[in-house]
């Protein structure tokens, strides 16, 4: 025989508390779902959009000095972190080589080297603008090592390049080191470093540069009065007399025209491939499948030549071309020497 038990009597106050707690729980769940929902990525414009929308004289001057068709074979590709401008030059069946720019100056830095490499008829050359510079968009993020090597790996994948030879200049050398250490299977046996960053210490950075790595420094460079001062000291009116001056003006004008340029530079100085890449060079040194060339000016005031000693110890099988008296902008000051050294390194006959 079944026995029926009555439910315990529930007080109204208990029901009220339960309803209140349930409501709070649902509210908390909803708040978590709101807080954890993905935010739309903020992408700042490149020169492509700025030049299309701006009537500013600085923007027009920058376009004259660094047009989107500065090289043939230019195109855009959209990646998750923003739109990237790249150029492909030379025969499709040529030896694949990527040239990686430094921290501030976009691909114009290679303008006197590229024609000499192309004249051999042997190379398929890839150039591209880093995120936040030139005609590549600027994601609102930290410009760390991962961002730079991811951008390059995406680009190679998009182009269906299984591997290539890698050349990095200044900060591009730090990118090249990190890339070769992380993705050695994408490197076609040769890496060339021109005055490479990646091993700088805080003491190597001048005080104004160190200030730029702070949030205060980034904020100051966003002020109109500071931008006007930067323009005054970095930009000289008139037509530049040579490629070196042209590259300087392009760097200076980017600071006044591109809205996220200084953040990209400051973030790169703070967390990017400027420092801390010695382990990557050591990893390259342990890889018997990689051959390494250094080209370095003995009077380099940006990445002092003394750093070559440590890097040669990291990679004992490497060789170095020491350019007596040359400074940091070696692709601009000694393009013939750079091109010839690269051609020899890539196992072809010298140009002269």
């Amino acid at each position: 025989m079944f026995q029926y038990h009555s439910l315990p009597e529930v007080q109204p106050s208990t029901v009220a508390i339960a309803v209140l707690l349930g409501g709070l729980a649902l509210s908390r769940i909803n708040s978590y779902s709101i807080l954890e929902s993905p935010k739309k990525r903020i992408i700042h414009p490149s020169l492509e959009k700025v030049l299309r929308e701006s009537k500013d004289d600085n923007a027009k001057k920058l376009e004259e000095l660094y047009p989107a068709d500065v090289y043939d074979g230019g195109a855009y590709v959209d990646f998750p972190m923003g739109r990237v401008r790249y150029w492909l030059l030379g025969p499709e069946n040529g030896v694949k080589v990527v040239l990686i720019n430094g921290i501030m100056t976009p691909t114009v830095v290679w303008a006197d080297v590229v024609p000499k490499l192309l004249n051999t008829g042997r190379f398929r050359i890839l150039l591209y603008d880093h995120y936040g510079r030139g005609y590549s968009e600027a994601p609102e993020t930290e410009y760390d090592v991962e961002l730079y090597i991811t951008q390059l790996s995406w680009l190679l994948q998009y182009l269906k390049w299984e591997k290539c030879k890698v050349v990095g200049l200044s900060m591009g050398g730090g990118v090249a080191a990190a890339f070769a250490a992380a993705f050695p299977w994408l490197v076609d046996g040769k890496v060339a470093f021109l005055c490479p960053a990646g091993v700088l210490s805080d003491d190597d950075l001048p005080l104004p540069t160190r200030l730029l790595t702070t949030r205060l420094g980034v904020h100051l460079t966003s002020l109109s009065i500071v931008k006007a001062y930067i323009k005054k000291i970095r930009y000289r009116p008139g037509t530049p007399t040579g490629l070196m001056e042209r590259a300087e003006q392009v760097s200076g004008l980017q600071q006044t025209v591109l809205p996220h340029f200084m953040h990209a530079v400051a973030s790169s100085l703070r967390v990017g491939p400027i420092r801390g890449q010695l382990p990557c060079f050591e990893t390259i040194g342990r890889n018997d499948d990689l051959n390494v060339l250094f080209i370095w000016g003995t009077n380099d005031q940006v990445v002092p030549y003394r750093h070559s000693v440590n890097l040669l110890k990291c990679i004992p099988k490497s060789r170095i071309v020491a350019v007596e008296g040359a400074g940091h902008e070696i692709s601009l000051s000694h393009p013939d020497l750079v091109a010839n050294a690269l051609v020899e390194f890539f196992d072809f006959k010298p140009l002269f």
Side-chain angles (χ1 to χ4, degrees):
M1 185 174 182
F2 294 105
Q3 293 183 349
Y4 294 93
H5 300 276
S6 60
L7 293 173
E9 183 178 356
V10 179
Q11 299 296 323
S13 58
T14 305
V15 175
I17 292 173
V19 171
L20 177 61
L21 291 176
L24 289 173
L26 287 173
S27 175
R28 180 60 58 90
I29 290 172
N30 288 334
S31 67
Y32 279 148
S33 65
I34 293 172
L35 291 174
E36 294 178 357
S37 61
K39 295 181 179 179
K40 184 178 180 181
R41 191 181 304 280
I42 299 175
I43 304 292
H44 296 274
S46 70
L47 278 178
E48 179 192 17
K49 183 175 181 180
V50 169
L51 294 174
R52 188 169 63 243
E53 298 180 353
S54 175
K55 297 180 180 179
D56 181 73
D57 290 340
N58 290 341
K60 293 179 180 178
K61 181 64 176 179
L62 183 52
E63 185 177 22
E64 293 175 10
L65 296 171
Y66 187 54
D69 59 355
V70 61
Y71 301 102
D72 293 333
Y76 291 97
V77 56
D78 291 314
F79 292 137
M81 299 299 283
R83 189 170 169 88
V84 171
R85 179 70 170 175
Y86 69 92
W87 296 261
L88 277 177
L89 304 159
E92 292 187 9
N93 62 348
V95 174
K96 296 179 177 65
V97 180
V98 60
L99 305 179
I100 309 175
N101 318 322
I103 190 171
M104 295 184 71
T105 309
T107 60
V108 67
V109 76
W110 301 105
D112 279 350
V113 174
V114 167
K116 294 172 174 57
L117 296 178
L118 292 177
N119 285 341
T120 68
R122 295 181 176 270
F123 299 109
R124 181 68 163 170
I125 298 174
L126 168 63
L127 303 108
Y128 67 100
D129 281 341
H130 291 306
Y131 279 128
R133 285 77 155 187
Y135 291 92
S136 290
E137 291 180 330
E140 189 164 297
T141 187
E142 289 287 15
Y143 284 66
D144 55 16
V145 176
E146 287 72 22
L147 178 70
Y148 287 105
I149 66 174
T150 299
Q151 181 187 11
L152 178 54
S153 62
W154 279 339
L155 193 50
L156 295 183
Q157 183 183 43
Y158 172 75
L159 296 172
K160 296 180 172 58
W161 281 22
E162 293 184 0
K163 57 176 58 180
C164 64
K165 302 182 189 302
V166 179
V167 182
L169 167 68
S170 189
M171 187 193 76
V175 176
F179 182 82
F183 308 117
W185 57 88
L186 296 178
V187 180
D188 188 15
K190 303 286 181 75
V191 186
F193 298 100
L194 280 60
C195 306
V199 292
L200 288 174
S201 65
D202 289 345
D203 292 337
D204 290 318
L205 301 178
L207 183 59
T209 302
R210 274 180 276 172
L211 175 62
L212 187 59
T213 66
T214 66
R215 298 194 181 279
L216 174 61
V218 176
H219 173 69
L220 289 175
T221 58
S222 68
L223 300 178
S224 298
I225 187 172
V226 176
K227 285 186 176 182
Y229 176 71
I230 290 173
K231 177 190 172 185
K232 182 178 180 181
I233 64 175
R234 294 300 304 271
Y235 167 58
R236 293 182 293 275
T239 303
T241 57
L243 185 59
M244 181 82 74
E245 187 176 335
R246 176 184 168 194
E248 289 177 356
Q249 290 196 18
V250 168
S251 294
L253 286 169
Q254 282 184 114
Q255 298 174 48
T256 64
V257 170
L258 291 178
H260 212 56
F261 177 82
M262 289 311 299
H263 169 83
V265 171
S267 181
S268 300
L269 288 168
R270 187 170 60 251
V271 298
I274 297 294
R275 295 170 288 178
Q277 300 310 299
L278 192 61
C280 293
F281 285 101
E282 292 172 344
T283 298
I284 293 171
R286 292 190 295 269
N287 189 334
D288 293 333
D289 294 328
L290 293 180
N291 294 307
V292 171
L293 171 70
F294 292 100
I295 307 175
W296 216 314
T298 60
N299 195 36
D300 191 335
Q301 302 298 309
V302 178
V303 185
Y305 181 71
R306 67 175 184 275
H307 288 296
S308 64
V309 176
N310 288 333
L311 293 182
L312 290 173
K313 288 180 180 178
C314 290
I315 313 175
K317 62 179 181 293
S318 63
R319 58 179 287 240
I320 186 168
V321 176
V323 187
E324 193 64 36
H328 187 65
E329 297 82 5
I330 199 163
S331 66
L332 299 170
S333 62
H334 293 73
D336 291 340
L337 184 150
V338 168
N340 196 52
L342 291 176
V343 169
E344 284 192 78
F345 180 55
F346 296 148
D347 296 329
F348 296 109
K349 292 181 180 179
L351 297 172
F352 49 83

